[in-house]
Amino acid sequence: MALTLVIEDIHKAYGNLEVLKGISFGMQKGDTKVVIGPSGTGKSTLLRCINRLSPPDKGQVWLEGEEITHSKSNINQLRAKIGFVFQDFNLFSHLTALKNVSIAPMKVMRMKKKEAAKLAMEELERVGLGDKADAYPAQLSGGQQQRVSIARALAMSPKLILFDEPTSALDPELIGEVLEVMINLAKDGMTMLVVSHEMGFARSVADEVIFMEQGVIVEQGPPQQLFASPKQPRTREFLHKITELYGEEREKGN
Amino acid sequence: MRSRSLLAVVGVLSLLLTTIVVGNVSLQAQFDPESTYIVGVEATFPPWAWVEKGAFKGIAVDAIREIAKSEGINLKYQELPWPSLIPSLAAGKIDLVVTAVSVTQERAKVLDYTIPWWEINRVVLVRKDSNLNGITALCCGVTVGGQGGSTDFEWVKQELAPNPGLDIRLREFEDPVMAVEDLKIGRVDSVVIDSDTGDKLAAEHPDIRVAARFYAYPPEPYAIPVTKGDPQGLLPKLNHGIMELYTSGKWAEIVHKYIPGAIILPIPAYMPEYVGSYQHPIPGLEE
Amino acid sequence: MYKVILEELPYLLQGVLVALELLLAFISLGFLVGAVLAVMRVYGNRLLVLLAILIERFFRGVPAVVLLFLFFYGLSGVPPFVAAVLGLGLRSAAYQSQIFKGAIQAIESGQMTAARALGMGKLKAIRCIIIPQALRLAIGPWSNEFASELKDTSLAYTIGVIELLRRAKYIVSYTYGNNTLLVYGVCALMYLVLVRTGNVILYRLERRLAIPGFERREEGG
């Protein structure tokens, strides 16, 4: 089966600090993969390397057979096929929620205004925010903003959505509404690569969990296997710390 | 919507800008460049040239209007401050200058002159309550003011100030009225200025008086300057027009309108040798 | 004494119109060129950045009157008004570009990143996402610039633009300086009214364009 996303031997350094030291994996259509690991191990950098927001120093990335990392690739076109959800939402502050979602279809996919507005409304309703279409980002809560940003990504009918710690900047009581949207997306068959600390989410919908540390993939596998019986000692250490931090109840609750 | 209204504002601004700029340029082009000449006027020098309620007035202005009529020239007036007048003429941005312009050797190098129509003398103005006389007003620690670039002030600058024995300080002004303002409040002790303007100013301001009158030798004439080489061929017309004005008596009429009782000198007045356009044959005059 | 002022009032008010016309024209020029310079400065490659810096340095470093002379004497067949628009306009562009640069840089970098991530090209992102926000941020500091530019219109008399101040000078001249303070006082009053009106308009504009939920600056600032 043709793979949606292929990442091969990605290296990235910032000055003298090597952040990614050879990352490779693939994703099939409909896969949901969650990347976990200590902070600063390059997880966010990896996501940004995939759509070349931070071009990798070495290595290649293919999206449905097209090489993103190629110098002659039409990067804008390729980026349009990859959704990106940021930790800080990054909604366009001067536009309403509706406009935020419809602007890319209009400007990038050259959709007509009416069509785009209709599409935007559909996506907003999909994330449960149809009634907030005319609100500005500053008038929305963090959880609402993040859901709008997911709708914004969905409006482009992406082949893959990258989530960069989507709930890390949210107040605890707002995390649930965002995770709910993400779970539904995964169940609907969206191909998702999620960097997150939310183990409950990983447990419920991830096809694979990837544990990264110090710029390399230490271990990867289906969540039940990785969480229950991790093979690597470092994986075990990390999971221990996480469980202590978040507590058993949260895992069970999700 | 809001971005759109912003864009609209920007669009309107650009449109406005273009219209204004183009409008001004095309207005310029309306005048047939062949027969319209631009007259530079310094409108802050009464009684020779000033602006009252938007209309140019003064001896020089009335005279040039008459000349234009009799010689059939179209004129467009451009007002400029004194420091910009001569450079604009030299650069060809204007075709002639109509105000009180003295004939000097330096200027004759970059300009050509019509026949002179006036001669001036110099006065020294002081405060009425000061006891300065013609000598003490120009020496011994005083500050002398005048219009920068005028022959009167240049005389002070070049002939008097460099002499350490005289010990004077200078203060330059853009026009004579400002110099007199500073004289009144004591920032300068005396003002050196041509006699027509000086007498008028002394008459208008009871708190200043004429301390001395200098008769220039050789005489210092006024004339109308044009660009060197007379590229527009104005000299013949202007000279002819000036003579017409004089012989018809209109010149005396105009002068007396502004300086009643003034002595009318025969035209052409004193013509210094160093001016090229005073060598015979003089353009526009029959020999 | 007062009679003269009253008689000359229409003439002076015409001068106000000339000043406004000049201001509008050259500030628009400054706006367009300034915005381009700011974008060049923030988003351009090394060559564009260098070019923008050189242009800014020149037009900010040369006194306004000298610029006016450069354009007046340097360009042939150009009437004083146009030379004034060009000279003052390009100078204004240099100052305005600093304002816009500050506004653009005040926008979080995440805005540009998000736009690029959606597939927008750099120029499109600048046009649709950055500039609309930057313009709103710029209005505040821009009103200061507007006030100072309005006062700069009086410099145009040096190359023959007969605006308000020059007309006041005429009156002082032919009355032989008998009412200097009064005439210039009236002049000052007119400039004051213009500046205040302009600021009020700009403040209203800022309010209308404000994004709901964001902080606004205080009036009179």
Side-chain angles (χ1 to χ4, degrees):
Chain A
M1 201 175 345
L3 292 173
T4 300
L5 180 71
V6 176
I7 300 169
E8 205 172 281
D9 196 31
I10 297 290
H11 289 256
K12 177 78 183 171
Y14 288 117
N16 284 333
L17 183 68
E18 224 192 330
V19 178
L20 296 174
K21 299 179 191 163
I23 305 286
S24 309
F25 64 88
M27 288 181 72
Q28 281 178 8
K29 185 163 163 171
D31 273 354
T32 299
K33 300 209 178 181
V34 178
V35 180
I36 63 175
S39 295
T41 52
K43 309 197 298 288
S44 293
T45 312
L46 174 64
L47 291 186
R48 280 159 198 261
C49 282
I50 293 177
N51 69 353
R52 252 170 78 181
L53 285 177
S54 288
D57 299 329
K58 208 172 115 180
Q60 285 139 327
V61 180
W62 282 270
L63 179 75
E64 284 193 335
E66 258 187 280
E67 192 189 338
I68 297 179
T69 37
H70 199 294
S71 52
K72 289 210 170 69
S73 64
N74 185 335
I75 189 62
N76 291 328
Q77 236 178 50
L78 287 167
R79 282 192 185 136
K81 297 187 193 162
I82 304 179
F84 204 111
V85 177
F86 297 88
Q87 183 174 354
D88 292 321
F89 333 135
N90 284 339
L91 287 182
F92 302 131
S93 14
H94 63 300
L95 300 174
T96 59
L98 188 80
K99 227 19 212 325
N100 254 281
V101 179
S102 65
I103 192 170
M106 279 200 289
K107 299 287 176 184
V108 180
M109 302 199 303
R110 299 181 190 281
M111 218 183 258
K112 290 237 165 47
K113 196 165 155 211
K114 264 207 187 113
E115 246 187 278
K118 191 157 154 279
L119 168 66
M121 200 50 164
E122 280 169 19
E123 298 299 350
L124 280 177
E125 276 167 2
R126 190 169 166 188
V127 301
L129 288 172
D131 57 336
K132 296 282 185 190
D134 290 327
Y136 284 87
Q139 297 169 313
L140 299 171
S141 74
Q144 291 167 329
Q145 286 186 54
Q146 194 63 298
R147 285 192 276 154
V148 172
S149 109
I150 296 177
R152 179 173 67 174
L154 288 173
M156 297 293 281
S157 306
K159 307 285 175 196
L160 156 75
I161 304 187
L162 306 172
F163 291 81
D164 186 0
E165 305 216 28
T167 56
S168 300
L170 294 175
D171 291 334
E173 65 268 19
L174 301 172
I175 295 181
E177 63 195 64
V178 176
L179 286 182
E180 197 185 323
V181 169
M182 287 168 68
I183 291 174
N184 289 333
L185 274 183
K187 289 194 177 143
D188 285 344
M190 176 60 71
T191 317
M192 297 161 62
L193 181 61
V194 182
V195 169
S196 180
H197 300 303
E198 295 295 326
M199 300 303 155
F201 171 78
R203 248 189 234 274
S204 52
V205 289
D207 297 304
E208 187 175 75
V209 173
I210 301 175
F211 174 56
M212 258 179 74
E213 199 190 41
Q214 312 258 12
V216 293
I217 296 179
V218 174
E219 192 174 338
Q220 60 193 109
Q224 302 77 2
Q225 181 205 308
L226 195 113
F227 287 140
S229 36
K231 299 200 185 93
Q232 300 291 330
R234 282 148 77 195
T235 319
R236 227 167 305 167
E237 257 180 72
F238 177 73
L239 287 174
H240 237 170
K241 289 209 192 99
I242 288 289
T243 328
E244 273 172 37
L245 202 63
Y246 285 96
E248 288 287 343
E249 306 94 69
R250 282 210 70 219
E251 281 189 43
K252 289 210 183 102
N254 278 316
Chain B
M1 276 313 115
R2 292 173 186 238
S3 307
R4 196 154 302 159
S5 67
L6 250 172
L7 209 66
V9 171
V10 173
V12 166
L13 283 178
S14 335
L15 200 63
L16 194 65
L17 166 70
T18 333
T19 330
I20 289 178
V21 170
V22 168
N24 265 290
V25 173
S26 64
L27 216 71
Q28 185 86 356
Q30 261 174 37
F31 293 101
D32 181 354
E34 289 302 311
S35 62
T36 300
Y37 303 104
I38 306 184
V39 184
V41 186
E42 178 214 13
T44 54
F45 205 81
W48 286 89
W50 77 88
V51 169
E52 204 171 305
K53 294 201 251 309
F56 283 109
K57 288 195 175 163
I59 303 176
V61 176
D62 285 1
I64 199 67
R65 277 212 187 100
E66 286 296 329
I67 295 173
K69 236 192 299 182
S70 71
E71 298 295 316
I73 321 174
N74 279 332
L75 293 178
K76 185 172 174 286
Y77 297 83
Q78 172 64 60
E79 206 272 340
L80 287 162
W82 174 251
S84 305
L85 271 179
I86 307 275
S88 295
L89 187 61
K93 305 276 316 182
I94 52 181
D95 300 309
L96 60 151
V97 172
V98 150
T99 183
V101 185
S102 298
V103 179
T104 71
Q105 197 155 10
E106 265 109 56
R107 291 180 191 163
K109 292 186 191 141
V110 297
L111 309 167
D112 279 337
Y113 284 101
T114 63
I115 52 176
W117 53 9
W118 199 254
E119 284 165 19
I120 55 153
N121 304 300
R122 230 155 255 157
V123 294
V124 182
L125 300 172
V126 298
R127 285 183 294 283
K128 193 163 236 154
D129 56 11
S130 83
N131 50 14
L132 297 171
N133 59 36
I135 305 286
T136 53
L138 296 173
C139 84
C140 324
V142 301
T143 306
V144 183
Q147 180 180 29
S150 67
T151 48
D152 320 287
F153 197 66
E154 286 303 301
W155 171 70
V156 177
K157 221 160 123 178
Q158 281 160 21
E159 307 286 334
L160 302 182
N163 188 333
L166 282 176
D167 181 29
I168 60 174
R169 272 171 296 281
L170 298 177
R171 213 185 186 103
E172 217 171 281
F173 297 88
E174 203 176 63
D175 67 72
V177 175
M178 282 171 75
V180 167
E181 287 298 300
D182 266 23
L183 175 66
K184 281 162 57 174
I185 61 180
R187 257 210 285 265
V188 296
D189 303 302
S190 58
V191 171
V192 177
I193 200 174
D194 71 277
S195 43
D196 305 311
T197 311
D199 287 335
K200 203 69 189 257
L201 283 166
E204 289 285 330
H205 295 272
D207 44 353
I208 62 171
R209 63 181 172 87
V210 175
R213 195 174 299 266
F214 291 95
Y215 289 90
Y217 194 79
E220 188 176 311
Y222 277 168
I224 298 177
V226 299
T227 317
K228 186 104 184 133
D230 192 19
Q232 310 284 7
L234 283 169
L235 276 182
K237 297 193 184 126
L238 291 175
N239 284 336
H240 186 251
I242 293 176
M243 285 309 296
E244 271 296 307
L245 203 67
Y246 175 63
T247 51
S248 68
K250 256 211 145 6
W251 173 244
E253 231 181 87
I254 293 174
V255 172
H256 286 142
K257 186 163 133 202
Y258 297 102
I259 316 179
I263 301 170
I264 307 292
L265 297 166
I267 294 183
Y270 175 75
M271 291 192 280
E273 276 179 359
Y274 49 72
V275 178
S277 42
Y278 293 163
Q279 309 305 324
H280 295 271
I282 298 178
L285 298 186
E286 294 102 19
E287 284 302 299
Chain C
M1 191 162 86
Y2 297 97
K3 194 161 154 282
V4 171
I5 290 284
L6 282 175
E7 285 172 359
E8 292 277 5
L9 210 55
Y11 187 61
L12 281 179
L13 288 174
Q14 265 175 26
V16 169
L17 279 179
V18 174
L20 279 179
E21 205 185 347
L22 179 61
L23 176 69
L24 232 62
F26 88 71
I27 229 175
S28 316
L29 177 65
F31 184 90
L32 294 170
V33 177
V36 170
L37 283 176
V39 169
M40 273 167 69
R41 218 23 225 278
V42 179
Y43 294 111
N45 60 24
R46 234 186 299 200
L47 184 65
L48 286 177
V49 170
L50 190 64
L51 190 61
I53 292 181
L54 285 176
I55 294 176
E56 274 170 47
R57 293 256 169 91
F58 176 73
F59 284 100
R60 280 205 346 246
V62 175
V65 178
V66 175
L67 281 175
L68 286 170
F69 284 151
L70 281 175
F71 279 94
F72 183 57
Y73 294 119
L75 301 173
S76 58
V78 152
F81 187 87
V82 176
V85 170
L86 287 173
L88 292 175
L90 289 175
R91 179 166 169 269
S92 174
Y95 284 101
Q96 288 192 53
S97 79
Q98 295 293 90
I99 296 176
F100 295 142
K101 173 166 156 263
I104 292 176
Q105 288 173 329
I107 298 172
E108 299 153 10
S109 59
Q111 298 281 299
M112 180 55 119
T113 314
R116 300 307 309 274
L118 285 165
M120 286 196 221
K122 204 172 185 187
L123 282 178
K124 199 168 277 184
I126 292 174
R127 196 163 49 87
C128 302
I129 305 296
I130 302 292
I131 299 238
Q133 295 187 55
L135 286 179
R136 283 173 176 83
L137 288 176
I139 294 184
W142 204 83
S143 353
N144 286 334
E145 195 58 33
F146 154 79
S148 123
E149 308 277 24
L150 173 61
K151 289 176 271 175
D152 280 349
T153 55
S154 57
L155 295 171
Y157 85 90
T158 52
I159 57 171
V161 177
I162 315 304
E163 40 64 65
L164 175 59
L165 193 64
R166 188 68 178 157
R167 295 176 187 225
K169 183 85 172 276
Y170 292 164
I171 303 173
V172 170
S173 293
Y174 83 77
T175 54
Y176 293 97
N178 269 318
N179 51 13
T180 315
L181 273 181
L182 178 63
V183 174
Y184 286 129
V186 169
C187 221
L189 198 65
M190 289 183 177
Y191 278 116
L192 209 74
V193 168
L194 284 175
V195 170
R196 181 70 190 145
T197 312
N199 277 335
V200 167
I201 293 178
L202 283 173
Y203 177 71
R204 295 256 173 91
L205 182 71
E206 197 185 4
R207 262 203 352 225
R208 260 202 73 212
L209 293 175
I211 300 160
F214 269 35
E215 294 298 318
R216 269 191 329 270
R217 66 183 186 104
E218 299 284 305
E219 175 170 10

